[in-house]
Amino acid sequence: MSVLESFSFGLPFIALKNAISGGEHLNIVNNENGFLLESENDLISCFNWFDQNTDKAEILGKNSFDFYTNKAIPMMQKVIKLSQNKYQQGEIDFLTYAQNIHKSIQI
């Protein structure tokens, strides 16, 4: 599941700080809408934290959903609108337009 897909369901995301895909660092605010862990060894501690702090975990979930609705969706809409305008004005070809739309969904 992607970071934003998780956020869209109000679920905090757990990832490694040194993850290579990039979406983690753009979207996860450590201890606010998810966790960026130092190593795989921290995963058990993180799961235990969720088990022992359900009230705080619920807040992380709410923060995740708020991030998705207040930041991610507007960013996607902006990229889509800009791409549509550039395509309609002939500044980009259809392939570039399609790639931009695809990228906007992955923001």
Side-chain angles (χ1 to χ4, degrees):
M1 180 177 279
S2 74
V3 175
L4 291 181
E5 186 178 6
S6 173
F7 286 0
S8 74
F9 289 100
L11 299 172
F13 202 88
I14 303 168
L16 293 174
K17 280 186 179 178
N18 62 351
I20 59 171
S21 70
E24 295 86 355
H25 303 286
L26 297 173
N27 300 302
I28 297 172
V29 179
N30 198 34
N31 297 317
E32 186 175 317
N33 60 10
F35 292 103
L36 294 168
L37 307 178
E38 294 292 333
S39 73
E40 292 91 356
N41 297 332
D42 297 332
L43 193 56
I44 292 173
S45 297
C46 188
F47 285 144
N48 287 335
W49 182 91
F50 275 101
D51 188 45
Q52 296 167 2
N53 296 282
T54 54
D55 56 330
K56 292 178 183 174
E58 189 174 323
I59 292 169
L60 260 70
K62 181 186 179 314
N63 292 344
S64 299
F65 186 75
D66 289 347
F67 182 94
Y68 180 77
T69 56
N70 297 324
K71 293 184 180 176
I73 289 177
M75 178 83 65
M76 289 181 224
Q77 291 171 330
K78 185 185 283 185
V79 170
I80 290 170
K81 181 77 170 161
L82 180 63
S83 296
Q84 287 173 334
N85 288 341
K86 288 187 173 222
Y87 177 68
Q88 289 171 345
Q89 295 171 6
E91 293 179 35
I92 60 174
D93 61 17
F94 182 77
L95 178 60
T96 304
Y97 168 72
Q99 289 171 336
N100 289 346
I101 299 300
H102 179 71
K103 287 177 187 176
S104 74
I105 295 168
Q106 296 177 334
I107 289 177

